[in-house]
Amino acid sequence: MLHFIWKYKKFQLARLTTSKNEAVAVLHTGMHNHLAGPDFFNAKINIGGQLWAGNVEIHVNASDWYAHRHEDDANYDSVILHVVWHDDVAVFRKDGTEIPTLELKNYISKEVLSAYQKLFDTKQKRFINCENDIAKIEDFVFQNWLERLYFERLEEKSAFIFELLEKSNNNWEQVLFALLLKNFGLNVNGGAFLSLANAIDFSVVRKLQADVFQLESVFMGMSHLLEDDTIVDQYYLQLKKEYGYLKHKFSLIDTEVVQPQFFKLRPPNFPTLRLSQLANVYTKKQHLFNVIVNTTNLEDLYRLFDVSASLYWNDHFTFGKTSKKSTKKLTKKFVDLLIINAIIPLKFCYAKHLGKEINEEIIQISTTIKAEDNSILSNFKKHGVQVKNAKDSQAMLQMYKKYCFVNRCLDCQVGSSLLREND
């Protein structure tokens, strides 16, 4: 709260003085530092008629300076003002000079404190702190905040993608392969499918792309789905034989691959179907990475993933057990999730890698995709928040997980706006 008050000058500016009665004029509060070291860098403050440039440290009690052992840390020698709620002790630098102290409690309005207490009073809250007021935020402010959150989420996803890029020695096709596998596995099998991607060099996929049966045999075999000796299904036995041949030919090692689960999955999400569908994606289009990064139209992306599992799966969900006949095609909803969680982040990272800016293209695609649907987004809707498209839904998920859930209301434009109303 004190950080927020200082950062946005929520104190009464009439006549600030230090504990030694020196006049204080805040020209610039400084840059908020969320890492180690003083709380605000490069502030400009006039203290007792002398202009100072340096850092500001903030504590609830002045004695916290010693509790945190700042007196032994050279990083705090450049502090020009100690901002506290309660000044209970004088604070000195290592050279023995006293640091001026500003006690804030006498300069903060009751309205600001009341708004803060209301925001963090969780007794009546069932979802998020601002649930009763979030719908009141000015639309222009809220939409700008959502766009910032959306790209913040993309930046966070970028870290994982660039890790994949480093592991693959800058092989973007390998990165795409890993991303697709992880997302084809969804939440339950994402980790298992990613372990499969880590175990197969993409050069093998490229050599097998012309033959979906071979590609499927490698995906199934490496995933330990061809190890049941009790299954006598002809297609299963053919895949098993083919995998044995290809495993030897390409020296494939499956010991680190995690076997995917079927438990608690709806049949359309069974790993057998998803692996077959992905094999068909790669058989359908060569040089998939280049196609994706050069595709700017959402409909073209839909056409790219307009595939079904192999014919065998028309009347199967698992090996050896027939089911009602139906084409196991990738649904639009699934492809939307694929574009949201794999394709857009990949395009964003590749553009960043090249030093290009494609934010407008990304916004165009993400605002054309239907919003996701889950319990978090449903709760936002219940409290009057419109979630119109995928950009909004991704932004709202980012806000909930990184701000609402961890009580970072004062770092959020919604919380900040609600407190500013009470200046």
Side-chain angles (χ1 to χ4, degrees), residues 175-191:
V175 172
L176 172 62
F177 180 55
L179 280 178
L180 289 179
L181 266 171
K182 183 177 185 298
N183 283 277
F184 265 72
L186 299 172
N187 290 331
V188 173
N189 285 318

Side-chain angles (χ1 to χ4, degrees), residues 93-373:
R93 299 183 183 89
K94 288 177 69 176
D95 63 4
T97 57
E98 185 173 351
I99 300 174
T101 300
L102 174 65
E103 191 176 50
L104 277 182
K105 65 182 178 183
N106 298 320
Y107 299 105
I108 302 171
S109 71
K110 292 179 180 179
E111 289 77 14
V112 169
L113 291 176
S114 177
Y116 175 79
Q117 289 168 347
K118 178 185 176 185
L119 184 60
F120 286 97
D121 180 8
T122 58
K123 293 178 183 177
Q124 304 300 322
K125 308 296 169 62
R126 296 184 177 182
F127 177 45
I128 58 176
N129 290 340
C130 65
E131 61 186 34
N132 295 324
D133 301 301
I134 187 171
K136 301 175 186 176
I137 301 300
E138 184 184 347
D139 188 61
F140 178 76
V141 172
F142 193 62
Q143 291 305 317
N144 280 335
W145 177 231
L146 288 186
E147 187 165 312
R148 279 180 56 190
L149 287 169
Y150 178 67
F151 283 102
E152 181 181 294
R153 190 166 177 82
L154 279 179
E155 288 288 354
E156 289 187 3
K157 291 180 178 180
S158 297
F160 172 68
I161 293 174
F162 283 121
E163 280 180 23
L164 292 176
L165 185 65
E166 185 177 353
K167 288 179 182 177
S168 67
N169 294 317
N170 293 323
N171 186 334
W172 284 98
E173 287 282 8
Q174 182 81 40
V175 172
L176 172 62
F177 180 55
L179 280 178
L180 289 179
L181 266 171
K182 183 177 185 298
N183 283 277
F184 265 72
L186 299 172
N187 290 331
V188 173
N189 285 318
F193 278 19
L194 184 60
S195 71
L196 172 62
N198 292 334
I200 303 177
D201 191 279
F202 189 75
S203 62
V204 175
V205 178
R206 185 180 290 112
K207 290 172 183 175
L208 301 179
Q209 267 186 284
D211 190 328
V212 67
F213 179 78
Q214 288 190 323
L215 205 51
E216 196 172 328
S217 71
V218 168
F219 288 175
M220 300 287 186
M222 292 286 285
S223 297
H224 308 288
L225 297 176
L226 302 176
E227 297 175 356
D228 189 341
D229 292 333
T230 65
I231 298 176
V232 293
D233 181 282
Q234 191 62 31
Y235 187 71
Y236 176 87
L237 295 176
Q238 289 172 347
L239 282 174
K240 187 173 184 177
K241 180 180 179 181
E242 187 67 20
Y243 173 60
Y245 165 72
L246 295 173
K247 183 179 182 181
H248 176 74
K249 179 179 180 179
F250 294 110
S251 302
L252 299 175
I253 300 173
D254 57 22
T255 53
E256 298 298 318
V257 179
V258 177
Q259 184 171 353
Q261 300 178 35
F262 291 80
F263 184 61
K264 290 186 177 180
L265 284 174
R266 292 177 60 247
N269 288 325
F270 278 2
T272 43
L273 300 187
R274 293 305 185 199
L275 290 174
S276 178
Q277 288 163 341
L278 184 60
N280 278 274
V281 168
Y282 272 100
T283 305
K284 177 180 178 179
K285 185 66 75 172
Q286 300 285 322
H287 310 296
L288 191 59
F289 171 76
N290 286 331
V291 174
I292 285 174
V293 295
N294 289 305
T295 299
T296 59
N297 184 281
L298 183 60
E299 291 304 318
D300 289 338
L301 288 174
Y302 284 141
R303 280 190 283 272
L304 192 61
F305 290 100
D306 183 17
V307 299
S308 303
S310 300
L311 291 177
Y312 173 82
W313 301 106
N314 281 357
D315 54 4
H316 290 79
F317 286 103
T318 57
F319 288 111
K321 294 182 180 179
T322 57
S323 61
K324 185 179 178 180
K325 196 164 186 176
S326 65
T327 303
K328 307 304 191 299
K329 184 178 179 180
L330 288 178
T331 65
K332 184 175 181 293
K333 185 176 181 180
F334 181 85
V335 176
D336 280 343
L337 288 175
L338 206 61
I339 295 171
I340 291 168
N341 295 312
I343 304 307
I344 290 178
L346 180 77
K347 288 167 75 70
F348 178 77
C349 286
Y350 185 62
K352 193 174 180 181
H353 177 73
L354 297 178
K356 292 183 177 180
E357 232 262 23
I358 61 166
N359 289 0
E360 289 302 318
E361 176 190 327
I362 285 173
I363 289 175
Q364 174 62 34
I365 294 174
S366 61
T367 53
T368 311
I369 299 173
K370 188 177 179 181
E372 297 145 280
D373 184 20

Side-chain angles (χ1 to χ4, degrees), residues 340 369-373 377 381 387-390 392-393:
I340 291 168
I369 299 173
K370 188 177 179 181
E372 297 145 280
D373 184 20
L377 298 171
K381 291 174 185 176
V387 186
K388 295 173 286 190
N389 49 53
D392 287 353
S393 61

